[in-house]
Amino acid sequence: MARDAALPPSKLSPLKLPLLPLLLLLLRETGAQDVRVRAAAEVRGQLGGTVELPCHLLPPAPEIRVSQVTWLRLDAPEGNQNVAIFHPQYGPSFPSPKPGKERLSFVNAGQSTGAGQGTELEVRDATLALRGLTVEDEGNYTCEFATFPRGTSRGVTWLRVIAQPQNHAETQEVTLSLDPVPVARCVSTGGRPPARVSWLSPLDGEARESQVSGPLPGTVTVTSRFTLVPLGQADGVKITCKVEHESFEEPVLLPVTLSVRYPPEVSISGYDDNWYVGRSEASLNCDVRSKPEPTGYDWSTTSGVFPASAVAQGPKLIVHSVDRLFNTTFICTVTNAVGTGHAEQVVLVRETPNTAGAGATGGIIGGIIAAIIATAVAATGILICRQQRKEQRLQGAEEVEDLEGPPSYKPPTPEAKLEEPDMPSQLFTLGASEHNPLKTPYFDASVSCAEQVGARERTREMPRYHELPTLEERSGPLLLGATNLGSPMLVPPGMPALETVSLDLEDEEEEEDYLDKINPIYDSLSYSSPSESYQGKGFVMSRAMYV
């Protein structure tokens, strides 16, 4: 194989030719496993500025020695071109006249590994700086590190030269026509690559673009014209030119206000359909929209007769007194630099004032006032209803709180009742047919009869409970002669200590003392055993019946 490689190219075997590129590729990949070059894939530089092409050898192992660093231009017109060379012992060299040593330099060529003359420089950073960037400098550049013992490693960088364009937009004043014409222009000058220009407009227009060479070689100037049919409605409308370029962080917006010259557009106002004979201080106004401004106003009538009481003052016609000559059509003619416009107004003169219009106006005003009053009344009613509902909710909440809590009324103790003032005797004068006094005594089933009898004997001298006789017992020998008390008072039969009771109605104090003694409400709720006559009846009297 070595012998074949030494032969001239014409003598190489056809079978061996495809093997050479494969062998070179394998050798390159083997060296790249340990040593590699880090270079930027793309670098952009401003036209006329300075750009740096980075190139670094990795890893920075001490056992790897750099023999030489070479920068080549791959797509030069004359073929591959050596742009810059750096040798560890002899230093930098720039063999190519373009760009030349005046514009090229190594940013950080190397570091000294020893002292004295002829010392070698260790090269790890071969970044190349290029000043005064031109369009011809754009292309592919290769950075090659020749190392020992690993061989050659390279990295490729594409250098792009860009130029930021200058932009401006302007309006183009046009005159009203029926054919589309350019009404605005936006120019992006000296861009590389060419800028992208568009329009933002509420009008239905069309953009027409053209490109020419820019002020510097390799740059482009883009001109975009916004075209539409210029009508009066387009005057004063704002549109925006939008310019986009890769050198801008965001698009450039350039607003433009359209300017269209058009003849006067005229209308007449001031007539209220209530011109009657003898009316004074009436007037007509000639309203105009035009560009440029009107240069003259002219008032006339279709009948050819102009009333003497009408005075024209520019766009206004003042009428001092209406007569039958005003029963005609008035014409207002306006002129500007572009053309002429006019408007007509028919006037009908009445014999008497027209009150229908005033009535209608009054009705409208009255309706508005009535609507306002009705709205106010409705709002007031709504507020009152809401306030009432709020108060009801608060009252209901208070009632719920009262029901959930303990009762607020606490009955007084029997001792406190005995200390109260004496009750009137009329409370106990009800007839027997209306109220029957409770007769059945309280009987506690949990206590034996013997215990209850013993307790009765112990408290006999101080009775705790007194019974009133029933209707059957009122006819007995205990009936008293108290006639002023309504129903006769009976003495309970089970009280031997009180055999007879005489109620002297003239002595009120004795009567009240007696009522206090026999009234069960003022007695204690606990009492002694009932009399033996009631023990066999099976009745139980609860304390709750006295509440």
Side-chain angles (χ1 to χ4, degrees):
M1 182 174 181
R3 185 179 53 143
D4 293 339
L7 294 177
S10 59
K11 301 296 183 178
L12 293 176
S13 173
L15 297 177
K16 301 295 181 67
L17 286 176
L19 299 178
L20 291 178
L22 181 60
L23 180 59
L24 294 176
L25 181 61
L26 290 176
L27 291 175
R28 178 182 176 183
E29 294 297 330
T30 303
Q33 291 178 0
D34 299 329
V35 178
R36 60 188 178 89
V37 174
R38 184 178 67 186
E42 178 182 339
V43 174
R44 294 188 302 176
Q46 290 286 341
L47 183 65
T50 301
V51 66
E52 293 185 356
L53 306 179
C55 182
H56 298 83
L57 180 65
L58 299 177
E63 66 274 7
I64 299 176
R65 297 177 61 89
V66 177
S67 302
Q68 181 174 293
V69 178
T70 305
W71 278 95
L72 295 92
R73 172 80 180 270
L74 300 180
D75 50 2
E78 58 274 10
N80 292 348
Q81 178 182 3
N82 291 330
V83 175
I85 300 173
F86 188 89
H87 192 273
Q89 186 175 1
Y90 299 107
S93 174
F94 306 98
S96 176
K98 290 185 179 180
K101 61 181 179 180
E102 295 82 6
R103 299 171 54 202
L104 293 174
S105 64
F106 284 94
V107 176
N108 190 10
Q111 298 176 353
S112 176
T113 59
Q117 187 176 4
T119 58
E120 294 185 358
L121 299 177
E122 183 179 1
V123 181
R124 291 291 184 268
D125 185 357
T127 301
L128 184 67
L130 178 59
R131 295 178 297 274
L133 200 61
T134 63
V135 176
E136 291 78 9
D137 296 331
E138 186 174 84
N140 289 313
Y141 292 81
T142 299
C143 174
E144 292 185 353
F145 276 86
T147 64
F148 180 84
R150 297 299 183 184
T152 302
S153 299
R154 62 176 57 87
V156 180
T157 299
W158 179 32
L159 174 61
R160 293 187 59 214
V161 179
I162 63 174
Q164 189 176 61
Q166 302 298 320
N167 312 289
H168 72 279
E170 59 185 6
T171 183
Q172 293 181 286
E173 189 176 58
V174 296
T175 303
L176 178 71
S177 68
L178 299 179
D179 298 325
V181 295
V183 295
R185 183 179 64 175
C186 186
V187 181
S188 179
T189 305
R192 179 181 175 87
R196 298 180 298 275
V197 182
S198 58
W199 291 91
L200 305 176
S201 171
L203 303 176
D204 187 12
E206 180 183 357
R208 298 179 181 179
E209 184 178 298
S210 62
Q211 295 184 3
V212 297
S213 298
L216 297 178
T219 61
V220 179
T221 297
V222 180
T223 301
S224 178
R225 291 177 173 86
F226 189 74
T227 304
L228 53 73
V229 176
L231 300 178
Q233 292 79 5
D235 182 66
V237 177
K238 291 185 178 181
I239 62 176
T240 302
C241 175
K242 180 180 179 181
V243 182
E244 298 175 284
H245 193 264
E246 59 180 281
S247 62
F248 299 151
E249 293 183 358
E250 58 184 13
V252 176
L253 303 178
L254 304 173
V256 175
T257 302
L258 301 183
S259 177
V260 179
R261 294 160 51 93
Y262 57 95
E265 298 176 357
V266 186
S267 63
I268 297 177
S269 63
Y271 179 67
D272 58 359
D273 195 22
N274 192 24
W275 286 29
Y276 53 90
V277 177
R279 177 178 174 176
S280 60
E281 301 303 330
S283 64
L284 294 176
N285 296 318
C286 190
D287 302 325
V288 182
R289 182 178 180 271
S290 69
K291 188 173 185 176
E293 293 297 325
T295 57
Y297 295 86
D298 180 60
W299 288 92
S300 62
T301 61
T302 55
S303 62
V305 179
F306 198 79
S309 60
V311 179
Q313 296 180 355
K316 192 170 186 178
L317 181 66
I318 299 176
V319 179
H320 296 289
S321 179
V322 177
D323 54 26
R324 290 182 175 83
L325 293 178
F326 286 89
N327 198 18
T328 183
T329 301
F330 286 85
I331 303 173
C332 178
T333 305
V334 184
T335 305
N336 70 353
V338 178
T340 302
H342 70 277
E344 298 181 357
Q345 177 63 59
V346 178
V347 177
L348 299 177
V349 179
R350 304 174 182 272
E351 295 295 332
T352 58
N354 183 14
T355 59
T361 304
I364 294 173
I365 296 174
I368 294 174
I369 295 175
I372 294 173
I373 294 175
T375 303
V377 171
T380 304
I382 292 173
L383 292 177
I384 292 175
C385 292
R386 289 183 177 178
Q387 185 65 24
Q388 291 179 353
R389 291 178 180 177
K390 183 178 180 180
E391 293 178 355
Q392 291 177 358
R393 288 196 297 268
L394 293 176
Q395 184 177 0
E398 293 177 356
E399 292 179 355
V400 170
E401 292 179 357
D402 293 341
L403 292 175
E404 292 179 354
S408 59
Y409 172 75
K410 296 182 180 180
T413 59
E415 291 78 3
K417 277 290 186 178
L418 293 175
E419 294 175 0
E420 292 182 357
D422 297 334
M423 300 296 293
S425 60
Q426 286 81 358
L427 294 176
F428 303 96
T429 60
L430 297 176
S433 61
E434 295 181 4
H435 295 281
N436 286 332
L438 296 173
K439 178 178 181 297
T440 307
Y442 175 79
F443 179 76
D444 193 350
S446 62
V447 183
S448 63
C449 294
E451 293 177 356
Q452 293 184 12
V453 171
R456 176 183 176 89
E457 293 297 335
R458 288 191 301 268
T459 59
R460 180 178 299 275
E461 296 180 358
M462 296 182 64
R464 308 287 292 177
Y465 175 77
H466 307 285
E467 297 180 353
L468 296 179
T470 61
L471 292 176
E472 292 81 0
E473 296 173 344
R474 289 190 180 187
S475 60
L478 297 177
L479 183 61
L480 304 178
T483 60
N484 293 335
L485 293 177
S487 302
M489 295 296 179
L490 302 178
V491 177
M495 304 292 292
L498 300 176
E499 295 178 356
T500 60
V501 179
S502 177
L503 296 178
D504 190 359
L505 297 181
E506 295 179 358
D507 192 354
E508 295 180 356
E509 294 181 356
E510 295 180 359
E511 176 187 2
E512 291 175 356
D513 293 339
Y514 170 73
L515 292 178
D516 288 339
K517 293 179 180 180
I518 67 174
N519 190 2
I521 297 178
Y522 294 96
D523 291 341
S524 175
L525 295 179
S526 62
Y527 51 88
S528 304
S529 175
S531 60
E532 298 177 357
S533 61
Y534 293 97
Q535 292 181 1
K537 294 184 179 181
F539 293 98
V540 177
M541 183 62 65
S542 171
R543 294 185 179 93
M545 299 187 65
Y546 296 105
V547 178

